[in-house]
Amino acid sequence: MAVRRIAILPDAIANRIAAGEVVERPSSVVKELLENALDAKASAVAVAIEAGGKTLIRVADDGEGMGREDALLALDRHATSKIRAAEELVGIGTFGFRGEALPSIAAVSRFEMETAAAGDTTGTRLVSNGGLVASVEDAVRQPGTTITVRSLFFNTPARRKFLRSARSETRACVDAVTTLALALPQLGVAMLADGKQAVEALPAPSLAERVAQVLGRRFAATLLPVAYEAGAARITGLVQRPAEAAPTGRVAYLFVNGRPIRDHFLVRAAERGYRATVPSGSRPSVILRLEVPAADVDVNVHPAKLEVRFRDRYAMEAAVEEAVHRALGDVESAAPIGGAKMPWEHVAVLSTGSGTSPAAELTSGEDEGLGLLDAGGLDVADEGDVTAEPEPSLAVEGGRRTRVLAQVHESYILVEAADALLIVDQHSAHERVLYERTMQALESGRQASQALLFPLTLEFTPAELDAVEAHGELLAKLGYELQPFGGRTIAVHAVPAPHARFDAERCLRDVVADLAGGRFGGLANPLERFASTFACRAAIKAGQALTEREMQELVDRLFETELPAHDVHGRPTIVQLPLGELERRFGRR
């Protein structure tokens, strides 16, 4: 007769095993209890922890509360008020639904619950130790629930031994509270850590205000709004200005239909939206809310509900990338002076194809090629050949205007907008314009070039010759026609002419030296790296005097780019001084 080897585990052991999946550390307890409070329609929650949650975690809410029978059932595994049938697992609209959190937490702690439902004359106090109910008695309490967890993992010392320091566990608990506070800005949130206020946030009218409450107003001022729709999906939130991105200190919060999730691939997609705007190694902060049809996302794939599965993951990643990229294209993403927020809906931003743009006039008809950005040939490279300046012009779109005022220190252009004074860095601005134009040439064909009457002969080092050979096709697309001339010499028969001040020989030498030495931006795409290198070297430099016509044309072309506020290194091309801030400085407000 075979020996029986399989046995049904007692509930106490099964609950401890379940606790290992749901309760990883004190912050897991905080998260689960907060989610239960939110599902109970709480409008305010208060959290208190001691020693990082190792000795005490208390979460109180003003939600619906429970009667005595429900309070007892809540400590049974798979007992839940959230679903009734398997079909309801599709399109779950609550935070919790597995029915594992409370019994799992109670199984590894000294647990106490006080709860009362609306309309009940008396509440219930339930006490358990290690998952075994010790007492049930009446309690006086307003509608809602308070859960107190003491001595977490007291009966599983191996788990307790692997907890981190009290300081680390406190940080994790604060982050759990912060995450839920960001998920629901309308929720009132308070948290004490060892008797000190860690989080205090009144109901907020917007995500931006909630970010200011829990992450600080200084940080909130570095963020830009996101609003994008792709099919049935909608993406909103806040992303950081490229100029504010840094190698450390990044925060990334993702919410799907209000549920906080972790998704490395979506974060990477958001970072790709910053293409050609941040330097290598910088990691911008993102806070994104994704709203998708319930049938297109599966939230039942992780015990702690931290991951989801999308029906079309690639489409969602592409939507996130595009949402971030478009947010950076607004001139509002320019760095502000004084920290004041600028209502950019009142500022003129030229779009491609604007027939009233002076830039359009400069590149049409007989005058084509005479402007700063469109030299028709090398014969106009001398500053003295620039045509006579026109009357001061205005960039116009939708009845709003911007106007170039002056050049400062032969490096910055002052521009008057409807509600701000803009300061444009001429080199960075030109770099952005040339980068986007160069990318178009590299992706779609080749750029127009200027044949030289007498070829140039240039000598390069062996490493530079290797770079010329390796990147010959891309150099040709830019407009450089190169041929070996023997030894270490290259013959240049044609060159690009992106603008009237372009120094073709110097630019080629600088680009080749950069390529040979690996000194180009940290962009992932090889074409982007090459285009950024060329744009940086070909752009006009700081210290070059520009005519009024050249300045106006540069500003017009900058506003026609996808990302006018940023160069390819993450530096701002524009600094905005809102009119309100200017008036405040002069005591007019």
Side-chain angles (χ1 to χ4, degrees), residues 318-393:
V320 167
E321 179 179 350
E322 185 62 19
V324 173
H325 194 66
R326 292 200 180 193
L328 301 180
D330 196 318
V331 183
E332 184 181 349
S333 63
I337 293 176
K341 183 159 180 66
M342 180 63 200
W344 275 108
E345 63 273 15
H346 300 300
V347 177
V349 180
L350 293 178
S351 60
T352 303
S354 173
T356 59
S357 163
E361 297 174 5
L362 290 174
T363 56
S364 62
E366 298 180 5
D367 291 334
E368 182 175 1
L370 295 181
L372 169 64
L373 304 181
D374 281 296
L378 296 183
D379 59 326
V380 297
D382 184 79
E383 183 178 347
D385 292 325
V386 176
T387 58
E389 296 181 28
E391 291 297 316
S393 56

Side-chain angles (χ1 to χ4, degrees), residues 14-25 28 32 77-78 98 100 104 153 159 302-306:
N15 282 341
R16 289 195 195 181
I17 293 173
E21 295 179 335
V22 177
V23 185
E24 299 176 358
R25 57 195 299 198
S28 306
E32 296 289 346
R77 289 192 67 206
H78 308 308
R98 293 171 178 267
E100 294 176 340
S104 297
F153 300 132
R159 295 288 303 281
H302 189 277
K305 306 174 291 296
L306 292 173

Side-chain angles (χ1 to χ4, degrees), residues 19-283:
E21 295 179 335
V22 177
V23 185
E24 299 176 358
R25 57 195 299 198
S27 59
S28 306
V29 175
V30 172
K31 172 184 176 296
E32 296 289 346
L33 297 182
L34 281 174
E35 289 181 348
N36 279 349
L38 299 180
D39 286 339
K41 299 181 174 58
S43 62
V45 293
V47 181
I49 64 171
E50 293 178 4
K54 298 178 186 180
T55 60
L56 173 72
I57 298 171
R58 179 178 290 117
V59 176
D61 68 62
D62 63 350
E64 294 176 332
M66 292 177 281
R68 180 160 300 184
E69 187 176 352
D70 282 346
L72 287 167
L73 284 173
L75 292 188
D76 285 345
R77 289 192 67 206
H78 308 308
T80 178
S81 62
K82 316 300 171 59
I83 59 175
R84 289 291 185 269
E87 293 76 15
E88 296 179 60
L89 288 173
V90 178
I92 293 172
T94 57
F95 284 96
F97 53 87
R98 293 171 178 267
E100 294 176 340
L102 287 184
S104 297
I105 294 168
V108 292
S109 70
R110 306 189 190 280
F111 181 94
E112 179 181 311
M113 174 166 58
E114 287 188 359
T115 185
D120 285 356
T121 56
T122 187
T124 298
R125 176 182 295 111
L126 185 154
V127 177
S128 77
N129 293 304
L132 301 177
V133 176
S135 65
V136 180
E137 58 188 20
D138 291 344
V140 177
R141 195 196 189 285
Q142 295 295 320
T145 301
T146 299
I147 292 180
T148 303
V149 176
R150 292 186 173 88
S151 306
L152 187 64
F153 300 132
F154 80 97
N155 54 353
T156 53
R159 295 288 303 281
R160 188 173 181 86
K161 184 176 68 174
F162 282 97
L163 292 179
R164 300 176 186 176
S165 68
R167 180 175 296 180
S168 295
E169 298 296 350
T170 296
R171 283 198 299 267
C173 290
V174 170
D175 186 60
V177 174
T178 299
T179 300
L180 267 297
L182 291 171
L184 290 172
Q186 70 273 23
L187 181 71
V189 183
M191 179 182 183
L192 293 176
D194 297 315
K196 297 180 180 178
Q197 197 78 46
V199 178
E200 185 174 18
L202 296 174
S206 66
L207 176 62
E209 180 60 29
R210 175 49 56 93
V211 170
Q213 289 176 343
V214 299
L215 299 178
R217 294 197 173 276
R218 183 174 181 180
F219 171 75
T222 72
L223 303 178
L224 302 167
V226 175
Y228 179 72
E229 294 185 6
R234 175 173 169 78
I235 301 170
T236 59
L238 300 163
V239 295
Q240 198 165 34
R241 287 187 177 89
E244 305 288 348
T248 59
R250 185 266 294 275
V251 299
Y253 293 97
L254 299 176
F255 307 94
V256 174
N257 294 345
R259 182 186 304 279
I261 67 163
R262 293 190 305 227
D263 194 309
H264 173 73
F265 295 103
L266 287 182
V267 174
R268 292 290 298 274
E271 290 176 342
R272 289 196 298 272
Y274 280 84
R275 57 188 180 273
T277 64
V278 295
S280 176
S282 291
R283 307 178 70 196

